[in-house]
Amino acid sequence: MTRGSTVTELSLSRPSARPIRRPSPWNGRNGVLAVALLLVGWSLVRAGLLEGELVNAGGWVLALRFGRAALQPDLTPDLLSLTLHSTLITLAYAVCGTALSLAIGVVGGILSSEVWWQTVRASQGEGGLVAGGAPWLVVRSLLSVPRAIHEAIWGLIFINIFGLDPVSGILALGIPFGAITAKVFSEILDETPRGALQALRAGGAPPLAAFFYSLIPQAFADLLSYTFYRFECAIRSATILGLIGAGGLGYQILLSLQSLRYEQMWTFLYALILLCGLTDLWSARLRWRLSLSRPLAVCKVTDGEATAGPNDRLFRSSLWLALGLTLFSFWFIGARWELLWAPRSGQLFREMVATMFPPRLELAFWRELTVSAVDTLAMSILASAVAGVGGMLLAFPAAGAAWLGGGAEDAVGWMVRPVAWFTRGLLLLTRSIAEPIWALLAMFVLFPGLLPGAVGLGLYNLGILGRLNAEVVENLDERPTRAIQAQGASRLQAFLYAVWPRALPRFVGYALYRWEVCIRATVVVGLVGAGGLGRLLQEQLVRFDYHSVSATLLVFFLLTGLVDLGSAWARRLLR
């Protein structure tokens, strides 16, 4: 070997002398954090945190009285009878609304899914009617309009057309929930593996038959899971409709609150919490029995017990229960469906549409709309911050010992379980009580404005985010935590390096999703005096000022779109 070759080999094998550069702190994730902190600070200033008095000192007496009443609910026979009747009304509205939304969601979900139109194109050939187009985008765009309007606003609109008839409440729940269900169903179908569909097509099965016999059975468990979630949402929304005259638990809670009869109010609240809790248990039990990670057609036996399949006893019992509950609810609610085609209803609808266009265009009015829109945005940011941070903190105690690592359940389970059950009960309480009721309670000690609305939205979404985040923690793979503990790391170190980094992205993703929901729900707390676009919209509907209503809805659509774009931008940078 020559001297030159030796030098060359040595130079090639020498490691690079360039220092390793640390990543710049100015990255996308830190940028999102900085923007979030700036928005929260701006929202606090907008809510008047630095101006004047926010707390009503005299309201603490009422707040303490309300808290003591929780230990002394009114259990007299007459009130219990009224509670049972009101609970049945709320349940009937929720069941009827869910049934209508499910009918809309199934049809709309199939028609707005890309895989359906690809299958239709295959059945017609490349020269078919839908070849070369994107009809699912058209259907999704049409469904985005009813989805953007909150069910409470739909309720006020239908009350002006059909009056205080149960048909107004059922339509107010069914139409927006149906549009939301259709969107989610279409996404589930599009994300379902298509191997079985392609196999059936390769075997000569007709395209549409292959679609229904391959994708639907695979996606059934996910579709069923979301249907239960939508039913839980319908129960809470039926309570909101009670605040605007639909009756049920929401109406009774509002009357008790206005008359300061807190013992009676807690009786109705406990009934609502029990109803939501039973629905949660039924949903969790059925989803576990159906083994969501497996196709419905597969029936696996574990420990001698079937855990999936349409022949499962719980599954069949649930189907019969759902059918009986639906028939009973439609009979019990007594909606006058003839109002849908009554001449007077059609006349009122045409008059309302005619008076909505053109929207009101005065410059002073649009200035007022802009101020209200800014207030609505600030309210949603504060609510999302409260719910996001609180949901992260409560997720771990609600998850029990799932995040403590191997062996923790045996060692400290006797301490963790009571904390987990207490935290889950607290989260159930916060998400069982609707946003406007929380806002009304916040007005005990806070002056009307953005802050009580943000508190009401934040507490309600805290219960939802806490539950979702707890499920994230429970579903984390335990092997990284066990591995780092096997190397001698403490539980705190294992949490900081193996649990928190994996859970945080999901936490942030859920928080951003709930921000999109909060911006729509600000309308509801505005109806009870919390400010923003909701307060303006209520005043306009009461005055039958539909020119102003159309302008306000237009601003609300624009604001919702802005928040959706901002949320999508943040999620993209955080990936």
Side-chain angles (χ1 to χ4, degrees):
M1 182 180 294
T2 64
R3 182 179 179 183
S5 62
T6 303
V7 172
T8 303
E9 291 177 2
L10 290 174
S11 63
L12 290 174
S13 61
R14 181 182 302 168
S16 175
R18 290 181 298 178
I20 299 176
R21 300 181 59 183
R22 293 181 178 272
S24 173
W26 299 105
N27 51 50
R29 294 187 177 184
N30 291 340
V32 171
L33 177 61
V35 172
L37 292 176
L38 287 175
L39 288 175
V40 172
W42 168 79
S43 301
L44 289 172
V45 174
R46 185 70 187 180
L49 192 64
L50 305 179
E51 302 176 2
E53 291 183 318
L54 296 176
V55 178
N56 178 18
W60 287 110
V61 177
L62 292 176
L64 292 175
R65 179 183 166 189
F66 175 79
R68 288 195 300 266
L71 304 176
Q72 300 174 339
D74 190 342
L75 301 179
T76 57
D78 290 340
L79 189 70
L80 289 178
S81 176
L82 177 61
T83 302
L84 177 60
H85 182 73
S86 301
T87 303
L88 290 177
I89 292 177
T90 299
L91 178 62
Y93 271 114
V95 171
C96 294
T98 303
L100 179 59
S101 67
L102 188 60
I104 298 174
V106 169
V107 177
I110 292 176
L111 294 180
S112 59
S113 64
E114 183 178 0
V115 64
W116 164 258
W117 291 105
Q118 290 175 349
T119 306
V120 172
R121 182 184 297 118
S123 66
Q124 295 179 346
E126 292 301 325
L129 295 177
V130 298
W136 58 89
L137 294 179
V138 177
V139 179
R140 289 186 184 183
S141 300
L142 293 175
L143 291 174
S144 65
V145 177
R147 189 171 66 242
I149 303 177
H150 196 275
E151 55 269 16
I153 304 303
W154 279 112
L156 292 174
I157 292 174
F158 287 129
I159 285 174
N160 289 331
I161 298 175
F162 305 114
L164 290 175
D165 189 85
V167 70
S168 299
I170 295 174
L171 293 177
L173 286 175
I175 291 179
F177 278 19
I180 296 173
T181 303
K183 178 180 181 293
V184 176
F185 278 10
S186 66
E187 293 174 351
I188 291 175
L189 291 175
D190 286 337
E191 294 173 2
T192 301
R194 304 182 185 181
L197 174 63
Q198 295 171 356
L200 289 177
R201 290 286 294 123
L208 299 183
F211 174 88
F212 285 105
Y213 281 95
S214 62
L215 292 185
I216 300 298
Q218 290 185 85
F220 179 80
D222 291 329
L223 299 176
L224 181 65
S225 176
Y226 184 78
T227 300
F228 264 99
Y229 170 73
R230 187 48 53 190
F231 178 50
E232 298 171 18
C233 295
I235 293 176
R236 294 187 283 267
S237 295
T239 307
I240 297 176
L241 293 179
L243 301 179
I244 60 175
L249 289 173
Y251 180 67
Q252 299 299 333
I253 291 172
L254 179 62
L255 290 181
S256 301
L257 181 61
Q258 290 176 340
S259 59
L260 304 182
R261 297 179 179 177
Y262 301 135
E263 292 79 9
Q264 296 182 2
M265 181 179 178
W266 272 107
T267 303
F268 299 124
L269 287 177
Y270 283 139
L272 179 61
I273 294 170
L274 179 62
L275 185 60
C276 292
L278 290 176
T279 304
D280 287 344
L281 289 176
W282 183 19
S283 173
R285 179 67 177 174
L286 185 59
R287 282 185 282 122
W288 177 77
R289 292 282 291 183
L290 287 176
S291 301
L292 296 182
S293 61
R294 304 180 182 91
L296 182 65
V298 178
C299 182
K300 182 177 179 179
V301 177
T302 304
D303 296 333
E305 185 179 9
T307 59
N311 293 322
D312 180 76
R313 180 180 299 176
L314 178 62
F315 178 74
R316 288 187 282 109
S317 301
S318 297
L319 284 180
W320 285 110
L321 177 60
L323 178 60
L325 196 58
T326 302
L327 295 176
F328 167 79
S329 298
F330 276 100
W331 168 81
F332 180 79
I333 208 70
R336 297 165 54 199
W337 295 102
E338 63 271 13
L339 291 175
L340 294 176
W341 52 84
R344 176 169 173 76
S345 300
Q347 179 184 355
L348 292 174
F349 175 74
R350 289 190 297 270
E351 291 177 356
M352 184 183 68
V353 173
T355 54
M356 291 182 70
F357 299 99
R360 189 175 174 183
L361 301 176
E362 290 87 347
L363 182 60
F365 172 71
W366 277 88
R367 288 176 181 171
E368 184 183 9
L369 276 182
T370 303
V371 172
S372 298
V374 172
D375 290 343
T376 297
L377 180 61
M379 189 190 306
S380 69
I381 292 173
L382 288 179
S384 301
V386 171
V389 175
M392 292 181 189
L393 296 177
L394 294 178
F396 297 102
W403 57 280
L404 295 176
E409 181 65 31
D410 296 334
V412 298
W414 64 275
M415 292 187 301
V416 172
R417 282 197 197 94
V419 175
W421 282 106
F422 174 79
T423 309
R424 287 182 177 273
L426 179 63
L427 294 174
L428 175 62
L429 171 66
T430 56
R431 70 174 181 268
S432 297
I433 301 176
E435 308 100 308
I437 298 177
W438 278 123
L440 287 172
L441 295 176
M443 288 182 189
F444 281 163
V445 295
L446 297 174
F447 290 110
L450 300 185
L451 207 53
V455 170
L457 286 171
L459 288 175
Y460 173 76
N461 286 278
L462 169 64
I464 296 177
L465 282 178
R467 176 190 175 186
L468 294 175
N469 291 342
E471 292 177 354
V472 169
V473 176
E474 291 173 345
N475 294 331
L476 288 177
D477 189 353
E478 292 184 0
R479 287 175 294 181
T481 308
R482 293 172 182 265
I484 196 172
Q485 287 182 348
Q487 299 298 320
S490 65
R491 282 180 176 168
L492 178 60
Q493 291 172 329
F495 169 76
L496 293 176
Y497 289 97
V499 177
W500 177 255
R502 292 184 294 148
L504 183 59
R506 294 290 301 275
F507 289 174
V508 175
Y510 278 137
L512 289 173
Y513 165 71
R514 293 309 301 182
W515 182 33
E516 301 173 14
V517 176
C518 279
I519 196 66
R520 298 179 178 91
T522 51
V523 173
V524 187
V525 294
L527 296 178
V528 296
L533 291 174
R535 180 185 59 81
L536 277 181
L537 204 54
Q538 182 199 29
E539 295 173 355
Q540 294 160 1
L541 288 170
V542 170
R543 298 194 310 262
F544 302 100
D545 185 5
Y546 295 118
H547 288 290
S548 300
V549 168
S550 59
T552 304
L553 290 178
L554 177 60
V555 173
F556 195 80
F557 288 149
L558 294 176
L559 184 60
T560 302
L562 177 64
V563 170
D564 289 346
L565 290 176
S567 177
W569 168 79
R571 284 196 298 266
R572 186 165 54 251
L573 291 179
L574 291 172
R575 288 175 185 154

